[in-house]
Amino acid sequence: MLYLIGAEYVVKASNVDSRHHEALSNLHTEEIFQDSVATATPKYITIDSETEKLPYQKFEMGRARSAMFFPLYIDNIYIGYWIMESGQMHAFDKTDTTIIEVVKDNIISVLQTTSYQETIENIDRIDKFTGLHSAEYLYGNAKRIFSKYPTSAVCMFRITNIEEINKNINREMGNDIITEISNVIKTKMAAQYVFVRYMGPKFIIVFSGVEEGSVEEFLNGLKEEIENLELVQDEEEIQKIRIVKGKKVRVRELKPKQVASPKLNFVVSTYYKGTGLEQLNKKLEEYIDNCPKEESQINYI
């Protein structure tokens, strides 16, 4: 099976010896298959005697004596082709094309899923403040970690007072809070756990292979430790414009020392291997976004 990526064809799956892959990846240039690609119709070719060879064969003429070529399309966009070969003449004369079409549709479905997965993995990024992976990591490489287990506890938490800190102190302090929380939690993560910055002040921890009820003690300790953090911004000299006797005058003032402590709200649920992680995370996010702003506890849904 050949799959088109950009302007190049890549062999995605094949049981043909690798030394033939280059030839197979150029079949779209063969005149005999060009009409098939253009019209999105299969092409069946075979030989009638041992002295013949298939039109696309340049070497080892006896390797295949019959072939079925299937162009692959997704939403009317050509993405590559699938070719079946046989060492027998007229091998596919009586092949049920209905079954072949089902197989072809399944191949396209797999390619779509693979393409989606590759896209997700490619857009994963590292957050500059925390050094954590973004949410996309959960649906790519991280999923291979916790999918080794039948169930895992998934926890989303939100820094509930981050907007207040940004407004009353400044955004720099808010960023420092986010960084410090991330650093504390990273030191407590087991190798099989996954910790990501989900979005803004929201984070996710996946406790791979751990039951939902078994994380409460850990989360209570984590919550207590983080909420006891105090980040201090030293006194700062600032300049302001004042009106003195009708004129604008630039004056210097001393901004007092300010202290910030984060407040967290947690929500926990269970992920079952093979189910939709995206839907679960959406459910957690909806809860944590719609609960009262003053809520600061550990919830199970």
Side-chain angles (χ1 to χ4, degrees):
M1 177 175 61
L2 285 298
Y3 184 35
L4 181 62
I5 299 180
E8 297 181 356
Y9 285 77
V10 176
V11 178
K12 300 295 287 185
S14 178
N15 60 353
V16 177
D17 193 286
S18 59
R19 68 177 183 270
H20 302 300
H21 285 184
E22 184 176 354
L24 289 176
S25 63
N26 289 299
L27 294 184
H28 59 290
T29 63
E30 298 289 337
E31 184 177 354
I32 193 169
F33 296 130
Q34 288 178 359
D35 184 61
S36 178
V37 170
T39 59
T41 55
K43 182 76 173 183
Y44 173 38
I45 55 176
T46 188
I47 58 174
D48 294 314
S49 73
E50 295 291 345
T51 59
E52 295 180 277
K53 66 177 181 179
L54 297 178
Y56 65 87
Q57 290 180 332
K58 304 297 187 294
F59 308 102
E60 297 188 51
M61 55 183 290
R63 181 174 64 85
R65 296 177 174 85
S66 302
M68 291 189 74
F69 179 92
F70 298 89
L72 303 176
Y73 280 76
I74 295 178
D75 297 330
N76 296 320
I77 298 174
Y78 172 64
I79 63 162
Y81 51 85
W82 167 42
I83 186 167
M84 291 195 308
E85 294 181 321
S86 172
Q88 298 180 0
M89 294 182 286
H90 297 276
F92 304 117
D93 287 2
K94 297 181 180 180
T95 300
D96 187 343
T97 56
T98 303
I99 296 175
I100 296 296
E101 284 295 321
V102 171
V103 174
K104 186 188 74 172
D105 290 343
N106 287 336
I107 289 173
I108 292 172
S109 178
V110 169
L111 287 175
Q112 285 179 302
T113 302
T114 302
S115 177
Y116 169 76
Q117 190 68 31
E118 289 175 348
T119 300
I120 289 295
E121 292 177 7
N122 287 334
I123 62 177
D124 172 36
R125 65 196 184 281
I126 300 296
D127 176 62
K128 68 177 182 179
F129 292 113
T130 64
L132 298 173
H133 286 278
S134 60
E136 290 78 16
Y137 181 63
L138 292 171
Y139 311 116
N141 292 326
K143 198 169 187 179
R144 299 187 184 100
I145 299 172
F146 51 80
S147 288
K148 296 176 183 177
Y149 307 90
T151 62
S152 297
V154 180
C155 167
M156 179 180 287
F157 70 88
R158 188 184 193 282
I159 308 171
T160 59
N161 62 337
I162 195 70
E163 292 87 354
E164 178 185 336
I165 292 170
N166 288 340
K167 179 180 178 181
N168 295 338
I169 302 179
N170 54 43
R171 188 167 292 275
E172 182 180 338
M173 175 64 87
N175 291 336
D176 289 344
I177 287 281
I178 288 171
T179 300
E180 188 63 26
I181 290 173
S182 303
N183 290 338
V184 169
I185 296 177
K186 281 190 284 188
T187 64
K188 301 179 182 300
M189 289 292 98
Q192 73 273 23
Y193 295 169
V194 177
F195 178 36
V196 303
R197 186 173 184 183
Y198 186 74
M199 186 181 298
K202 289 174 282 194
F203 297 76
I204 282 182
I205 304 172
V206 180
F207 298 92
S208 309
V210 179
E211 293 184 2
E212 179 182 312
S214 301
V215 301
E216 184 168 1
E217 183 178 350
F218 175 85
L219 293 179
N220 276 320
L222 191 64
K223 185 176 189 297
E224 182 178 359
E225 180 177 349
I226 290 174
E227 292 186 344
N228 283 330
L229 291 173
E230 287 189 345
L231 272 70
V232 179
Q233 187 171 75
D234 293 332
E235 293 178 344
E236 180 184 4
E237 187 179 86
I238 59 175
Q239 293 187 358
K240 288 188 175 181
I241 302 296
R242 294 189 180 278
I243 305 298
V244 179
K245 295 181 179 181
K247 294 182 179 181
K248 291 182 179 179
V249 178
R250 191 182 300 273
V251 297
R252 293 179 177 179
E253 291 186 358
L254 195 63
K255 187 177 181 180
K257 179 175 68 176
Q258 302 207 60
V259 179
S261 294
K263 296 295 181 185
L264 305 182
N265 194 30
F266 291 80
V267 59
V268 185
S269 192
T270 298
Y271 168 72
Y272 296 90
K273 179 179 178 179
T275 60
L277 180 61
E278 299 92 331
Q279 291 87 340
L280 175 61
N281 289 342
K282 191 66 177 176
K283 182 175 72 171
L284 297 176
E285 186 176 23
E286 286 176 353
Y287 178 87
I288 217 161
D289 283 347
N290 294 314
C291 66
K293 289 185 177 181
E294 65 276 8
E295 182 176 289
S296 178
Q297 57 194 54
I298 299 172
N299 308 279
Y300 296 86
I301 60 174

